[in-house]
Amino acid sequence: MALVLGIESTCDETGVALVEDTELLVDVTASSMDEHARFGGIVPEVASRAHLEAFLPTLDEALTRAGKTLSDVDAIAVAAGPGLVGSLTVGNAAAKSLAVALGKPLHGVNHVIGHAAVDELVHGEFPEKVMALVVSGGHTSLLKIDDVATQVTELGHTLDDAAGEAFDKVGRLLELPYPGGPHIDRLAREGDPTAIPFPRALTAPKFQDKHAYDFSFSGLKTAVARWVERERDAGREIPLEDVAASFADAVADVLMLKTLNACREHDIDTLVIGGGFSANSQLREMAVKRGEEAGIDVRIPPIRYCTDNGAMIAALGAAVVRRGVAPNALDYGVDSSMPLTRVVA
Ligand code: KG4
Ligand code: ZN
């Protein structure tokens, strides 16, 4: 059994975790979100500097809490992409330095695939075939996983906004604080999801050939903006709860419709949902209900493992080590748009 140190620094979270096989020993995260909130979005340079300041204290805390030292570590895994190039550079420079200093193998792994792999720490090793829906502020991807360490196929992705990004943009137009996602979720729980018939993009039969598993949320965001504008112009009060509920329902409906179609088509009966947006209650509820109806085992990790963290990177690193994948040479570069067919750098 190998002790794998996982390092995450793709966006605004500095994460360090230790995983032994499929057991999580410790997971520590420092976030710079508070420093970005007043700008209404992540400021890359601020995020990079925050990683630089947070890395060593986060590493120290993880080792102390697990009762381990760096010499106990057998392999290092770091998210090599996709993400913000400055943030990635800080984490990968740190990981490479540790690998050289300790003489340990280094694996640069794919952050998005990590969002699926983390579920192995919670619900055990994946069965032979798994479908994964990764939804966050940055990504919306549907992945067919034959082997999380070596064989991943991207069936589809968003053509414009990510699901969380769409929530944040609608949050802005409803004048909710940033990030708007959790606020819309809260309002939606009080509203009627059938109140307003918002569009379901790319679901018409004519899209079956080319975009069966792709998503698009920017038209939906515009539809919400138009509806709100019309009501405001007519001097009517905006029923925030109903707008939020109808919008959230449209997003969850399209995500689950396409994901369950993909499961059916590829004869896969295990679905993993990961990424920060899987905290969304409307999606969670719909996934459990429709999964049950379709006879599909829906695995969603607890929310703390869905947002960016070191555990997901250590989990994928441990899977890569178990499969005997060769470590990376230290001259690999970070890749801000790392393709999802590449598990390792
Ligand atoms: O994975 P994550 O922490 O960071 C990215 O890599 O993007 O995801 C954060 C995204 C944000 O867009 C946030 O608004 C959204 O997920 N989010 C939610 C909820 N919690 C977080 N959106 C809707 N409902 C929620 N409960
Ligand atoms: Zn992420």
Side-chain angles (χ1 to χ4, degrees), residues 37-53:
R38 68 194 169 102
F39 299 107
I42 306 287
V43 183
E45 183 59 22
V46 172
S48 307
R49 282 167 190 267
H51 284 301
L52 206 52
E53 283 163 20

Side-chain angles (χ1 to χ4, degrees), residues 8 10-11 111-112 115 134 136-139 275-276 306-308 312:
E8 155 63 28
T10 59
C11 190
H111 170 89
V112 177
H115 271 303
V134 178
S136 74
H139 352 271
C306 288
T307 53
D308 292 351
M312 56 191 261

Side-chain angles (χ1 to χ4, degrees), residues 229-315:
E229 197 180 85
R230 239 186 356 253
E231 293 297 296
R232 278 186 185 142
D233 287 351
R236 284 192 283 269
E237 200 176 320
I238 307 299
L240 287 180
E241 291 83 358
D242 286 350
V243 174
S246 302
F247 164 69
D249 188 67
V251 173
D253 186 25
V254 175
L255 288 172
M256 290 319 301
L257 186 78
K258 292 190 174 232
T259 301
L260 293 177
N261 278 348
C263 290
R264 237 170 267 125
E265 177 149 314
H266 293 274
D267 201 18
I268 291 179
D269 59 10
T270 306
L271 168 64
V272 174
I273 305 183
F277 183 78
S278 57
N280 179 252
S281 346
Q282 290 79 35
L283 177 65
R284 282 184 171 243
E285 252 168 53
M286 202 183 279
V288 169
K289 184 166 168 284
R290 291 195 190 174
E292 239 166 55
E293 286 164 4
I296 286 167
D297 180 20
V298 178
R299 299 169 42 152
I300 314 178
I303 290 165
R304 66 179 181 283
Y305 301 129
C306 288
T307 53
D308 292 351
N309 61 73
M312 56 191 261
I313 305 306

